[in-house]
Amino acid sequence: MIATTSAGQAFDTLAKTYDSDFTNTLIGRAQRSAVLTDAFRIFKGRPRILELNCGTGEDALQLSGRGWRVLALDASQQMIARARFRKLREAPLADLRFQQMRTEDLSRIEETFDGVFSNFSGLNCVENLTAIAALLASRTTIGTPLVFCLSTRVCIWETAWYLLHGKPAKAFRRWPGRHRTSLQGNSVDVFYWSLSQLQTIFAPFFTLREVRAIGLFVPPSYVESWIANHPWLLRMMIGLDSFFSRLPLLRTLGDHMLLHFEKTEGAQP
Ligand SMILES: C[S@@+](CC[C@H](N)C(=O)[O-])C[C@H]1O[C@@H](n2cnc3c(N)ncnc32)[C@H](O)[C@@H]1O
């Protein structure tokens, strides 16, 4: 069995090209725009945001540009280095801090927050989410929203795409709920929870308020070169996503699902 590398070290190898490979692609922009539209609405009037697994800082910069105070964490030293560089260039005066820290080490943060955000699957790299739920409960007050975008267990696009390309192992890689993937030769375990598992994990402290698919008709990022030749199709898919992404069943079959939890009375941090 191949040993796994820490997620931080593995993602270090992606940091340099992450923005060109995902953030600045047509698909990356379309999926992120759908996430941020909801995040801006849910975090309205809640000034202090904790962002987990922030990557190169795209969302933190967007939030801080709209007036939120943000502490953004990531396990990868290289991702954080790029995020800090972007802050210096794009928002030197913003109340925005980037810190290298694994989500598992959240107990080292002593502040409290009015909202917690995690975008594009960083939480799929954390095995013990039950511990994270308890830690987040101890850093938030009643009414605090969590907005989490995680990879789904079943992505219709992915299964169809890889079956069409004769790659059945890739087509079904998420289905068992855990998959060891290789990032530039570094092995990382990725955990694909079902919606009901996530609801159970967060239930002692947080109540699920909303769920929607991110990337239901809009495809996963590895379809970029094909979609780049069909921009009208992407526009149509974005429209279909806004129409169908909240429907029961469909909301868990996209590339990602966006969950809105809220800390509720009776929570026992
Ligand atoms: C797919 S990227 C998403 C980055 C960013 N949130 C975005 O929206 O572009 C996943 C990020 O999760 C981070 N990550 C993975 N496991 C982590 C962990 N255990 N603790 C903190 N960050 C982690 C990686 O370093 C990487 O930056």
mmCIF file of all heavy atoms in Angstrom, residues 122-138:
data_model
loop_
_atom_site.group_PDB
_atom_site.id
_atom_site.type_symbol
_atom_site.label_atom_id
_atom_site.label_comp_id
_atom_site.label_asym_id
_atom_site.label_seq_id
_atom_site.Cartn_x
_atom_site.Cartn_y
_atom_site.Cartn_z
ATOM 1 N N GLY A 122 -12.167 21.135 0.244
ATOM 2 C CA GLY A 122 -11.126 20.999 1.266
ATOM 3 C C GLY A 122 -11.590 20.084 2.398
ATOM 4 O O GLY A 122 -10.799 19.304 2.944
ATOM 5 N N LEU A 123 -12.877 20.147 2.737
ATOM 6 C CA LEU A 123 -13.376 19.306 3.840
ATOM 7 C C LEU A 123 -13.456 17.836 3.444
ATOM 8 O O LEU A 123 -13.560 16.971 4.313
ATOM 9 C CB LEU A 123 -14.743 19.810 4.332
ATOM 10 C CG LEU A 123 -14.704 21.117 5.132
ATOM 11 C CD1 LEU A 123 -16.111 21.552 5.513
ATOM 12 C CD2 LEU A 123 -13.835 20.985 6.388
ATOM 13 N N ASN A 124 -13.399 17.541 2.140
ATOM 14 C CA ASN A 124 -13.353 16.131 1.726
ATOM 15 C C ASN A 124 -12.000 15.501 2.041
ATOM 16 O O ASN A 124 -11.843 14.285 1.919
ATOM 17 C CB ASN A 124 -13.614 15.994 0.217
ATOM 18 C CG ASN A 124 -15.043 16.324 -0.160
ATOM 19 O OD1 ASN A 124 -15.358 17.464 -0.462
ATOM 20 N ND2 ASN A 124 -15.935 15.338 -0.131
ATOM 21 N N CYS A 125 -11.024 16.328 2.434
ATOM 22 C CA CYS A 125 -9.704 15.789 2.777
ATOM 23 C C CYS A 125 -9.538 15.610 4.282
ATOM 24 O O CYS A 125 -8.440 15.297 4.763
ATOM 25 C CB CYS A 125 -8.598 16.721 2.269
ATOM 26 S SG CYS A 125 -8.641 17.001 0.506
ATOM 27 N N VAL A 126 -10.596 15.846 5.063
ATOM 28 C CA VAL A 126 -10.517 15.721 6.533
ATOM 29 C C VAL A 126 -11.295 14.474 6.942
ATOM 30 O O VAL A 126 -12.487 14.358 6.663
ATOM 31 C CB VAL A 126 -11.122 16.980 7.204
ATOM 32 C CG1 VAL A 126 -11.127 16.818 8.720
ATOM 33 C CG2 VAL A 126 -10.339 18.225 6.800
ATOM 34 N N GLU A 127 -10.603 13.542 7.615
ATOM 35 C CA GLU A 127 -11.249 12.263 7.933
ATOM 36 C C GLU A 127 -12.246 12.399 9.088
ATOM 37 O O GLU A 127 -13.346 11.883 9.036
ATOM 38 C CB GLU A 127 -10.192 11.203 8.278
ATOM 39 C CG GLU A 127 -10.823 9.837 8.531
ATOM 40 C CD GLU A 127 -9.825 8.703 8.499
ATOM 41 O OE1 GLU A 127 -8.598 8.981 8.559
ATOM 42 O OE2 GLU A 127 -10.258 7.546 8.413
ATOM 43 N N ASN A 128 -11.832 13.123 10.133
ATOM 44 C CA ASN A 128 -12.681 13.194 11.333
ATOM 45 C C ASN A 128 -13.477 14.505 11.365
ATOM 46 O O ASN A 128 -13.131 15.445 12.077
ATOM 47 C CB ASN A 128 -11.805 13.053 12.577
ATOM 48 C CG ASN A 128 -12.646 12.959 13.848
ATOM 49 O OD1 ASN A 128 -13.880 13.057 13.798
ATOM 50 N ND2 ASN A 128 -11.985 12.778 14.978
ATOM 51 N N LEU A 129 -14.554 14.543 10.610
ATOM 52 C CA LEU A 129 -15.361 15.766 10.561
ATOM 53 C C LEU A 129 -16.162 15.969 11.848
ATOM 54 O O LEU A 129 -16.557 17.092 12.159
ATOM 55 C CB LEU A 129 -16.328 15.705 9.375
ATOM 56 C CG LEU A 129 -15.852 16.241 8.030
ATOM 57 C CD1 LEU A 129 -16.999 16.320 7.054
ATOM 58 C CD2 LEU A 129 -15.199 17.616 8.179
ATOM 59 N N THR A 130 -16.376 14.881 12.588
ATOM 60 C CA THR A 130 -17.117 15.005 13.855
ATOM 61 C C THR A 130 -16.359 15.934 14.801
ATOM 62 O O THR A 130 -16.956 16.803 15.454
ATOM 63 C CB THR A 130 -17.281 13.604 14.495
ATOM 64 O OG1 THR A 130 -17.897 12.766 13.521
ATOM 65 C CG2 THR A 130 -18.128 13.647 15.738
ATOM 66 N N ALA A 131 -15.042 15.769 14.842
ATOM 67 C CA ALA A 131 -14.222 16.637 15.703
ATOM 68 C C ALA A 131 -14.275 18.081 15.212
ATOM 69 O O ALA A 131 -14.304 19.031 16.012
ATOM 70 C CB ALA A 131 -12.782 16.131 15.725
ATOM 71 N N ILE A 132 -14.305 18.259 13.899
ATOM 72 C CA ILE A 132 -14.342 19.621 13.340
ATOM 73 C C ILE A 132 -15.676 20.290 13.694
ATOM 74 O O ILE A 132 -15.719 21.481 14.031
ATOM 75 C CB ILE A 132 -14.158 19.593 11.798
ATOM 76 C CG1 ILE A 132 -12.854 18.875 11.416
ATOM 77 C CG2 ILE A 132 -14.200 21.006 11.211
ATOM 78 C CD1 ILE A 132 -11.611 19.426 12.054
ATOM 79 N N ALA A 133 -16.757 19.519 13.637
ATOM 80 C CA ALA A 133 -18.077 20.085 13.980
ATOM 81 C C ALA A 133 -18.055 20.603 15.421
ATOM 82 O O ALA A 133 -18.541 21.713 15.703
ATOM 83 C CB ALA A 133 -19.159 19.018 13.809
ATOM 84 N N ALA A 134 -17.466 19.834 16.333
ATOM 85 C CA ALA A 134 -17.407 20.250 17.739
ATOM 86 C C ALA A 134 -16.530 21.493 17.897
ATOM 87 O O ALA A 134 -16.876 22.433 18.636
ATOM 88 C CB ALA A 134 -16.878 19.099 18.593
ATOM 89 N N LEU A 135 -15.395 21.514 17.193
ATOM 90 C CA LEU A 135 -14.506 22.689 17.273
ATOM 91 C C LEU A 135 -15.196 23.943 16.746
ATOM 92 O O LEU A 135 -15.110 25.022 17.341
ATOM 93 C CB LEU A 135 -13.235 22.436 16.453
ATOM 94 C CG LEU A 135 -12.132 21.656 17.159
ATOM 95 C CD1 LEU A 135 -11.061 21.238 16.161
ATOM 96 C CD2 LEU A 135 -11.515 22.525 18.256
ATOM 97 N N LEU A 136 -15.905 23.794 15.635
ATOM 98 C CA LEU A 136 -16.597 24.957 15.061
ATOM 99 C C LEU A 136 -17.705 25.435 15.997
ATOM 100 O O LEU A 136 -17.942 26.645 16.122
ATOM 101 C CB LEU A 136 -17.165 24.618 13.679
ATOM 102 C CG LEU A 136 -16.111 24.431 12.581
ATOM 103 C CD1 LEU A 136 -16.763 24.019 11.267
ATOM 104 C CD2 LEU A 136 -15.294 25.717 12.391
ATOM 105 N N ALA A 137 -18.346 24.502 16.664
ATOM 106 C CA ALA A 137 -19.404 24.890 17.605
ATOM 107 C C ALA A 137 -18.818 25.725 18.745
ATOM 108 O O ALA A 137 -19.474 26.639 19.260
ATOM 109 C CB ALA A 137 -20.100 23.646 18.141
ATOM 110 N N SER A 138 -17.565 25.423 19.127
ATOM 111 C CA SER A 138 -16.958 26.162 20.237
ATOM 112 C C SER A 138 -16.435 27.530 19.811
ATOM 113 O O SER A 138 -16.026 28.326 20.642
ATOM 114 C CB SER A 138 -15.820 25.334 20.848
ATOM 115 O OG SER A 138 -14.740 25.292 19.944
#
